[in-house]
Amino acid sequence: MGGRGALTTLYCYAVLTLAAGLSPPLVAAALQMPDARTPVWIASSVVSGGLALLLTRHRPSRRLVLLLGWLLLALAVVQAFVIGDLPALAGLYAIAPVLASLAGQLTGRPRKALVVVHVIAAACWSGVALMMSAIGLTALTSDDIQYVAWAYTLMETFDVTLLGWLNFATTLSGLGVAITSQWGVIRYRWVAAKLAISVLILFLAFGWLHDTLETAALKAERLAGTGGSAAQLGITPALVTAGFGFAFLQLVLAILLSLYKPGGRTRRGRRLLAAQRAARSREIPVTVAEVREVARDIVALTLHPVEGERLPAWEPGAHIDVVLPSGRVRQYSLYGDPGDPDGPGGPDAYRIAVLREENGRGGSAEIHGLAVGARLAVRGPRNNFPLVDAPAQLFIAGGIGIVPFLSMVHRLDASGADWRLVYRGRSLDRMAFTDALTEQYGNRVTLLPSDTHARPDLTALLRDAPAGATVYCCGPEGLIDAVTAAMPVACPHGTLRVERFAAGGRAGGTGGASDGPFEAELARSGRVVRVPAGRSLLSALQEVDPTVDRSCEEGICGSCATRVLSGVPDHRDDVLQPDERERTDIIYPCVSRSHSDRIVLDA
């Protein structure tokens, strides 16, 4: 939860809010509740400092962290809009990103809810700006000073009571959407442009337009009382109309940017992408520090970096590429506690568990033949199966599919979350980590070996999941397909997330399309690549850009993810979750194709 930047911001905010509470107000005339000013600043300092210390020294529950984060945001809103201390407005731009950072990457319903809030706030802001522009235009063209005075009084009322709230609601929810999604704030030009537009309008409003409108309202009211004419207002009505009209046009531009997402990555975004690709593709040499059998035909390996190397941090659900001595590359989920730097899942060790597959392609057999001291290399980690925030979590594991869930349930149990694990296998001796699971978590874990237990009633299991639950499934294709089929009917109140160890066979694509030819335009270079039938988009791209990531080439690992600027992808991967398969902003070119005759890529 969070990171170094969030912690630094919290500590700085604690110091600055303490100083603000002990110092005189910068704009005393704006204060509406002077007596509450200092106590709220002090409370903000205590909450932000306490939250920073909590995150630094302990692993608090996610709910507690987010509760304190929301409390801190609420204190900043009260300070800015209820008490009226203007410096708190700047504080909102610090606390909202911190809260989003603490929330982490959102998917499913939480992300949709945040997007809906942003869309509603933006629509209301645009609507009020349009109304203000229309009232300003009618006031500009009217000769009736009484009507003009009424119009400016109405505009001033809306300006004070609505526009400020809508600006901050739209901007801060937009920051939340950007930070909790793959977009980021400054990775893509269209996102950075939207933020710049919002801040520009804010400065326009507070720096000039509000005072101009207030001046126009006072002049019009005075002229109406003395029998003056609208002509005596001079150019002030024109300035008011132009200001609100400009703001409305900027909001229209922001809406268009959201709809069409033009422009590709920023320079910083390209550097970040290059760094991420380099980190993912860099092979880190490791040695096998431990090999132990954890179940029949399943071995667990502990991998240590060679001297001078350090393993990147990871989160529950992540996997790595393992480069074997033969040159084979295979993907395996990590387990352990990623948050304990001295523990088995910390940065000084990776742990994987591997099932020997008799009819496999040789990778698992090679791993089972490794001894302590063997030299390997790893790439990654990558996380296409993250643990997301939800009221409750249900895990359904089959066989070796238990591995990614080990770190997830450890994290959830430490935070006091509501979760349950159902673990199915061929027999108890073939099910890894069963003793540790039952000893540590008790009746939260249900073991169902098929030689002694009937097949679980998936419909009943899913139907009993709490409202808003996230259901995770990992294991054999038959289990994943059964859960996927039962989910819409038995658990429409939940969200399904799956991870496959083998390609799901999506030939023909999401829309039943054939492997027809299409064109891929590379936005950065302007080159157009023709992808004929029977050839993958990835292989065509690599002729132009050999640095495009490739690993599994089966649509499982997600290493080749590429942003789509225009066109409709034909998703054939097994990385996207069931609720993400209509996305048109990303493609995994190793297996996916295009429904459109041409697709434009950020490449």
Side-chain angles (χ1 to χ4, degrees):
M1 289 177 289
R4 183 175 298 177
L7 284 175
T8 302
T9 303
L10 284 170
Y11 280 121
C12 291
Y13 191 77
V15 173
L16 292 174
T17 50
L18 178 62
L22 300 177
S23 304
L26 292 179
V27 187
L31 295 179
Q32 302 170 48
M33 299 175 61
D35 293 340
R37 175 183 176 274
T38 297
V40 175
W41 275 128
I42 300 299
S44 297
S45 179
V46 171
V47 173
S48 56
L51 179 56
L53 288 173
L54 196 64
L55 290 168
T56 303
R57 297 179 175 272
H58 304 282
R59 180 182 294 281
S61 72
R62 183 182 180 86
R63 290 180 180 177
L64 176 60
V65 169
L66 293 181
L67 176 63
L68 292 175
W70 279 111
L71 175 59
L72 192 58
L73 183 64
L75 288 171
V77 170
V78 169
Q79 193 79 45
F81 292 101
V82 179
I83 296 174
D85 205 0
L86 296 182
L89 296 174
L92 287 169
Y93 281 93
I95 296 306
V98 166
L99 180 58
S101 176
L102 295 176
Q105 294 286 294
L106 298 181
T107 58
R109 292 185 178 182
R111 182 174 184 274
K112 288 179 181 177
L114 186 56
V115 170
V116 168
V117 169
H118 178 61
V119 170
I120 292 174
C124 292
W125 188 15
S126 302
V128 173
L130 176 60
M131 180 189 67
M132 298 280 275
S133 301
I135 295 174
L137 183 60
T138 57
L140 174 66
T141 57
S142 176
D143 294 327
D144 186 346
I145 188 62
Q146 295 291 342
Y147 172 80
V148 173
W150 172 84
Y152 285 138
T153 300
L154 181 63
M155 291 177 68
E156 191 176 23
T157 301
F158 279 116
D159 182 54
V160 172
T161 59
L162 276 181
L163 280 179
W165 286 96
L166 292 174
N167 180 302
F168 280 96
T170 304
T171 305
L172 299 181
S173 61
L175 281 171
V177 171
I179 293 172
T180 58
S181 69
Q182 80 280 9
W183 299 121
V185 177
I186 53 176
R187 293 179 199 163
Y188 294 94
R189 293 174 185 169
W190 68 276
V191 180
K194 283 185 60 180
L195 178 60
I197 287 171
S198 183
V199 174
L200 172 64
I201 295 175
L202 182 66
F203 277 101
L204 174 69
F206 281 93
W208 173 73
L209 190 53
H210 175 76
D211 291 341
T212 304
L213 175 60
E214 190 176 57
T215 300
L218 287 172
K219 283 184 178 180
E221 185 179 3
R222 186 170 59 251
L223 289 171
T226 59
S229 67
Q232 292 177 270
L233 289 171
I235 66 168
T236 304
L239 293 175
V240 171
T241 303
F244 282 105
F246 175 78
F248 172 70
L249 291 177
Q250 294 300 301
L251 291 174
V252 171
L253 176 59
I255 292 172
L256 293 176
L257 288 172
S258 297
L259 292 175
Y260 295 103
K261 303 178 178 61
R265 288 180 179 264
T266 61
R267 182 176 300 177
R268 176 174 172 78
R270 289 194 294 271
R271 288 200 300 267
L272 289 172
L273 177 63
Q276 291 168 359
R277 284 180 171 176
R280 288 197 302 258
S281 60
R282 187 174 82 90
E283 293 187 358
I284 302 173
V286 297
T287 58
V288 178
E290 181 186 29
V291 179
R292 64 189 179 97
E293 188 175 43
V294 292
R296 183 177 171 185
D297 293 331
I298 300 177
V299 295
L301 274 66
T302 301
L303 308 176
H304 284 174
V306 300
E307 186 175 352
E309 294 286 349
R310 189 167 179 84
L311 299 175
W314 59 283
E315 286 294 311
H319 69 270
I320 56 172
D321 294 343
V322 178
V323 183
L324 299 171
S326 65
R328 295 185 178 99
V329 180
R330 298 292 184 267
Q331 291 76 41
Y332 297 106
S333 295
L334 294 168
Y335 76 93
D337 179 7
D340 182 2
D342 300 318
D348 295 327
Y350 281 164
R351 284 193 170 189
I352 59 174
V354 181
L355 169 68
R356 183 185 183 96
E357 300 181 32
E358 295 298 334
N359 299 319
R361 296 174 295 162
S364 64
E366 184 175 356
I367 284 184
H368 276 248
L370 294 175
V372 172
R375 295 288 295 265
L376 309 171
V378 297
R379 297 197 297 247
R382 287 184 294 271
N383 198 344
N384 304 316
F385 195 46
L387 183 64
V388 298
D389 191 28
Q393 279 100 347
L394 170 63
F395 299 92
I396 303 176
I400 197 63
I402 188 63
V403 178
F405 295 154
L406 298 175
S407 56
M408 291 186 178
V409 299
H410 179 84
R411 172 74 58 86
L412 292 172
D413 196 68
S415 67
D418 181 11
W419 65 273
R420 181 186 176 191
L421 168 66
V422 176
Y423 183 10
R424 178 78 167 170
R426 292 172 60 184
S427 59
L428 198 59
D429 66 329
R430 292 178 180 269
M431 297 167 64
F433 308 107
T434 53
D435 290 342
L437 286 168
T438 54
E439 288 174 9
Q440 188 168 359
Y441 306 120
N443 59 9
R444 286 181 180 266
V445 177
T446 302
L447 303 179
L448 298 175
S450 60
D451 60 344
T452 58
H453 291 73
R455 180 177 300 177
D457 186 346
L458 293 177
T459 300
L461 182 65
L462 295 172
R463 187 185 298 119
D464 293 340
T470 299
V471 179
Y472 302 82
C473 184
C474 185
E477 291 301 305
L479 175 64
I480 293 177
D481 291 342
V483 172
T484 302
M487 190 74 184
V489 176
C491 190
H493 52 279
T495 302
L496 176 64
R497 303 190 65 80
V498 303
E499 182 168 66
R500 300 176 187 267
F501 294 140
R506 296 182 183 274
T510 55
S514 63
D515 290 339
F518 63 96
E519 293 180 340
E521 179 183 339
L522 311 184
R524 296 183 210 165
S525 64
R527 298 188 61 173
V528 177
V529 177
R530 184 164 179 80
V531 185
R535 185 182 187 187
S536 73
L537 172 57
L538 179 62
S539 64
L541 292 177
Q542 287 198 308
E543 286 191 357
V544 178
D545 181 7
T547 67
V548 176
D549 285 344
R550 64 191 301 168
S551 182
C552 72
E553 298 187 64
E554 294 181 340
I556 301 172
C557 71
S559 64
C560 62
T562 304
R563 184 185 170 224
V564 177
L565 301 177
S566 178
V568 182
D570 178 8
H571 295 300
R572 305 186 182 190
D573 62 272
D574 290 294
V575 178
L576 292 176
Q577 298 301 321
D579 62 340
E580 299 177 316
R581 304 212 66 82
E582 299 302 318
R583 286 177 60 176
T584 58
D585 61 327
I586 195 169
I587 190 171
Y588 296 90
C590 63
V591 293
S592 297
R593 301 183 70 79
S594 175
H595 286 303
S596 309
D597 293 334
R598 173 175 289 199
I599 191 168
V600 182
L601 305 176
D602 182 18

